[in-house]
Amino acid sequence: MTTATLPARDQVNPSDCWDLSSLCQDDASWEAEYKKLDDQIATYETYRGRLGESADVLAEALTFDSQFDRLAERVGTYAFLRTTEDQGNSDSQAMKLRFQNLAVRAGQAASFMRPELLSIDETRMSELAADEKLAPFRLQLERLLRYRPHTLTDNEERLLAMQGEMASAAGNAFRQLNDADLRFGEIEDHEGRKVELSHATFGQMLISPDRKVRRKAFHQYYEQFSSHENTLAATLGGSIQRDVYYARAKNYDSSLQAALFPDNVPVDVYDNLIGAVRESLPNVHHYLDVRRRKMGIDQIHHYDTYVPILSGVKKHHTWDQAVNVILESLAPLGSEYVGVLEAGLRGRWSDRYPNRGKQSGAFSCGTFDGDPYILMNFKEEVLNDVFTLTHEAGHSMHSWYSARSQPFEYYNYTIFVAEVASTFNEQLLTDYLLKNAADDNERAYLINNELDGIRATVVRQTMFAEFEKITHEMAEAGKPLTVATFREIYRELLVAYFGPDFVIDEELERECFRIPHFYRAFYVYKYATGLSAAVALSRRVLEGGKQELDDYLRFLSGGCSKDPLDLLRDAGVDMTQPEPVATTLERFRTLTEELDQLI
């Protein structure tokens, strides 16, 4: 029996690798561009103390800063992508580290600009901003000046900045414990092989067809979190207290408002999401009961919720076949979208297959001047990799449209809308595959996949979002955050979201201690709003005509030229209302009914 080994990077066919020449022609060209950036850092100092002098000086300073950032984006992205090709390549790692050092030095040199602009008298700033020379930067300045009420005196801001390393202590401690110190032992998989249990293999064990393997992995994994729950409660509590402290110091009404402020998102959007999901929880409970019945088990536990109900469906796609399916599914987006994407995917936008040392997973990396590159580790026998490819292609086309429609200052879209274009593509792929399913089993498999995606992205992330809201409000009210309170809050949420007939194992109460996103609070709700917007927009485009398509393509072209809620509203979905989330969960309900009838 032979063992398959991954090829070394230099053994991979160049046509299967991305071509980074749109960023830098080669490493020698990168060196020249790097030196140019290095030489320009000192120019920042020539503007210190002069930003309020005149519109000419301010426009010149902002233009220089923009041009510096534009070149730095190319240089930094080239170095980063080179490291992902082979993480054992020391030359690439050195390029990345050198750029990171340059970026830190440039950040320090430019650090005076923001506080100096905010210190300019409001009347004077209005006069400067009204000058036509500053027209390209007007929105940029308006967004910066929104922070006036939340900007302290120079000395106060300096003291807050000096606390940065202390403020990250709780998160750093969690990461060290979670990523380095926890050991989960070995476990035997369904084929009798000994496997080291880790964060990565835990997910693999939860989709094992053998329930005994899933159960053992679940209990063995959570033993470690039980053993360290006091430490984990302390780190999570410390992170929450940090959020509360900074929100109060910066004059925000709450830590939630502080987190939503950069995107100009009202707290109502957050609350509407929770309310809409809460209202639809009976449909989630119904799906879990359908899953229990179709799996032929008397009781359903958390370790029964990830394995596909139907595991016998096999699909095989070569790269070109996957591209064909994706392009056919995206035909509703028009000839320009499909044509550009086809040239990129059949050309050299993507680094297609695994090789030794290559970064795992997948991502899209778009820039203003370069191609919107896609890293894949494509496997022909894994249907989910086709979904991953269309997902990343959605990001890339979002970057492509925005870079060609907006100036550099406003092309880069925010995280709030980042997942819309990618999950929109997944919706179109699902719609296409369902229409072309070979039989009821394949259709049921696809529906099950869609249901689990909505449950994981909308329902689960909203439960996380509600946990963050409750715990931060407790801290703001001076209530203690202990192991007992964390577990009590989390269990109440588990019962509400999974339903009265779902078995909540005691270990699951400790799930709140292992979620890295909780150390970057009030972020996960964007996954839920992003998919909800994508579902609503995909239905709108599929059921509409030219106007609906034009609205969506205009959204892709918008970059950050408007606030994210305004971009989505112009595309046809109002995220300040509960309807988009309700539409997604209504789709969840109807698909559950169909799944129940199919199998």
Side-chain angles (χ1 to χ4, degrees), residues 375-415:
L375 180 135
M376 288 289 296
N377 282 277
F378 187 79
K379 296 173 288 298
E380 296 184 351
E381 69 279 5
V382 179
L383 177 60
N384 192 54
D385 280 9
V386 184
F387 279 91
T388 300
L389 181 55
T390 200
H391 179 103
E392 302 305 340
H395 285 308
S396 288
M397 291 304 294
H398 196 173
S399 297
W400 186 88
Y401 272 99
S402 287
R404 277 148 187 79
S405 305
Q406 302 297 331
F408 174 74
E409 292 76 20
Y410 305 120
Y411 96 93
N412 201 9
Y413 45 84
T414 67
I415 293 174

Side-chain angles (χ1 to χ4, degrees), residues 275-452:
V277 171
R278 280 270 184 174
E279 190 172 331
S280 294
L281 285 178
N283 297 324
V284 179
H285 304 161
H286 176 53
Y287 166 70
L288 291 169
D289 188 59
V290 170
R291 170 178 270 279
R292 179 192 64 78
R293 287 189 281 109
K294 301 306 180 184
M295 292 177 70
I297 53 180
D298 294 331
Q299 293 182 320
I300 185 167
H301 294 247
H302 188 259
Y303 50 77
D304 298 316
T305 60
Y306 291 92
V307 60
I309 297 174
L310 291 93
S311 56
V313 177
K314 302 294 183 185
K315 301 290 287 184
H316 183 277
H317 296 87
T318 65
W319 178 269
D320 283 333
Q321 288 169 339
V323 171
N324 287 341
V325 169
I326 289 168
L327 296 175
E328 288 167 13
S329 73
L330 298 177
L333 295 181
S335 58
E336 180 184 59
Y337 188 106
V338 171
V340 170
L341 181 57
E342 179 172 20
L345 294 182
R346 297 204 195 282
R348 296 184 63 186
W349 279 8
S350 187
D351 211 79
R352 302 179 183 181
Y353 305 113
N355 62 252
R356 199 179 311 146
K358 185 176 176 179
Q359 180 171 314
S360 62
F363 63 74
S364 167
C365 189
T367 60
F368 187 74
D369 293 302
D371 292 333
Y373 294 105
I374 298 171
L375 180 135
M376 288 289 296
N377 282 277
F378 187 79
K379 296 173 288 298
E380 296 184 351
E381 69 279 5
V382 179
L383 177 60
N384 192 54
D385 280 9
V386 184
F387 279 91
T388 300
L389 181 55
T390 200
H391 179 103
E392 302 305 340
H395 285 308
S396 288
M397 291 304 294
H398 196 173
S399 297
W400 186 88
Y401 272 99
S402 287
R404 277 148 187 79
S405 305
Q406 302 297 331
F408 174 74
E409 292 76 20
Y410 305 120
Y411 96 93
N412 201 9
Y413 45 84
T414 67
I415 293 174
F416 188 91
V417 298
E419 291 302 319
V420 175
S422 55
T423 50
F424 180 102
N425 278 17
E426 290 190 68
Q427 287 295 308
L428 264 59
L429 178 58
T430 297
D431 184 78
Y432 174 84
L433 292 175
L434 284 171
K435 288 176 179 175
N436 292 277
D439 52 36
D440 283 352
N441 268 359
E442 185 174 324
R443 183 171 179 83
Y445 177 86
L446 292 165
I447 289 174
N448 181 199
N449 185 65
E450 169 80 352
L451 287 168
D452 283 341

Side-chain angles (χ1 to χ4, degrees), residues 137-148:
F137 306 103
R138 200 164 287 147
L139 178 59
Q140 198 175 0
L141 290 170
E142 288 173 3
R143 286 174 172 165
L144 172 64
L145 297 174
R146 286 182 63 236
Y147 286 86
R148 276 191 191 278

Side-chain angles (χ1 to χ4, degrees), residues 39-85:
D39 292 343
Q40 289 178 355
I41 292 176
T43 305
Y44 277 107
E45 191 62 26
T46 64
Y47 297 108
R48 185 185 293 273
R50 299 179 57 212
L51 298 183
E53 189 177 298
S54 68
D56 286 330
V57 171
L58 181 54
E60 184 181 307
L62 292 175
T63 299
F64 168 76
D65 183 56
S66 178
Q67 291 174 344
F68 185 94
D69 285 348
R70 182 170 170 179
L71 177 56
E73 181 185 67
R74 280 202 298 109
V75 172
T77 301
Y78 180 89
F80 163 69
L81 294 180
R82 291 279 282 111
T83 64
T84 65
E85 298 170 356

Side-chain angles (χ1 to χ4, degrees), residues 150-262:
H150 307 294
T151 302
L152 310 180
T153 65
D154 287 349
N155 282 337
E156 289 169 333
E157 288 287 349
R158 179 173 172 272
L159 287 172
L160 286 180
M162 289 171 62
Q163 297 170 16
E165 289 190 21
M166 289 188 296
S168 62
N172 289 338
F174 166 77
R175 283 187 290 275
Q176 287 296 317
L177 178 61
N178 192 54
D179 297 340
D181 292 344
L182 293 186
R183 291 290 184 272
F184 305 97
E186 287 188 339
I187 192 166
E188 195 172 282
D189 68 11
H190 66 279
E191 295 180 347
R193 296 173 300 189
K194 287 283 188 181
V195 177
E196 182 182 355
L197 188 60
S198 65
H199 298 308
T201 58
F202 178 59
Q204 296 171 14
M205 294 302 111
L206 290 184
I207 61 173
S208 170
D210 188 334
R211 195 177 190 219
K212 292 178 182 177
V213 171
R214 301 199 302 270
R215 182 192 300 118
K216 184 171 185 351
F218 176 84
H219 290 292
Q220 184 172 320
Y221 182 75
Y222 275 101
E223 281 176 10
Q224 283 292 297
F225 294 97
S226 175
S227 299
H228 296 84
E229 64 179 2
N230 289 292
T231 300
L232 290 163
T235 59
L236 181 56
S239 180
I240 292 169
Q241 293 291 355
R242 176 206 61 194
D243 297 337
V244 173
Y245 168 75
Y246 278 111
R248 286 177 173 165
K250 292 281 196 172
N251 302 315
Y252 290 100
D253 294 338
S254 67
S255 47
L256 175 57
Q257 186 206 28
L260 302 184
F261 185 82

